[in-house]
Amino acid sequence: QVQLVESGGGLVQPGGSLRLSCVASGSYFRFYHMGWYRQAPGKQRELVATVTSGGSTNYLDSVKGRFTISRDNAKNTVYLQMNSLKPEDTAVYYCNTNGAALDWGQGTQVTVSS
């Protein structure tokens, strides 16, 4: 059973930055196409960014140019660098495969507020 552990969230002012990390257990991480998702209060979970096993990336239109997804297969870790944060980015952020095939982790709260 693969476990996902997210970290790096917090309270930040508009325009600020955060870097999220997600560590996956197991031996097959390098084969997974990974994604970062978020769920704001009262809204459905949405896919924010993806990175394939080969390193190709894709982004939700509303975060293009502000967020960067990356991975380190040696550390079984996927990252989300978030810059120029806006209040509408406030949500709990989760990682999973692109397709959400794994059990969800606990997520990490990101709050953007002045």
Side-chain angles (χ1 to χ4, degrees):
Q1 192 90 4
V2 176
Q3 292 186 326
L4 301 168
V5 180
E6 301 93 346
S7 63
L11 172 63
V12 62
Q13 292 187 343
S17 297
L18 285 173
R19 189 193 195 205
L20 307 184
S21 299
C22 169
V23 180
S25 63
S27 304
Y28 301 103
F29 174 80
R30 65 189 182 278
F31 299 116
Y32 299 151
H33 303 319
M34 294 298 297
W36 279 98
Y37 300 73
R38 67 185 180 189
Q39 186 167 21
K43 295 188 177 181
Q44 288 192 333
R45 192 172 293 174
E46 63 178 353
L47 182 59
V48 173
T50 61
V51 59
T52 68
S53 57
S56 297
T57 59
N58 203 4
Y59 298 92
L60 187 67
D61 282 348
S62 61
V63 308
K64 281 182 181 176
R66 300 189 298 121
F67 289 11
T68 303
I69 188 171
S70 61
R71 65 191 297 158
D72 185 338
N73 290 336
K75 296 182 179 179
N76 274 21
T77 301
V78 60
Y79 303 99
L80 186 67
Q81 177 67 44
M82 305 188 295
N83 299 327
S84 302
L85 282 161
K86 303 176 180 180
E88 51 263 44
D89 296 317
T90 295
V92 180
Y93 284 71
Y94 304 85
C95 70
N96 208 313
T97 61
N98 185 5
L102 304 174
D103 290 342
W104 294 98
Q106 83 288 350
T108 186
Q109 175 71 49
V110 172
T111 303
V112 185
S113 175
S114 54

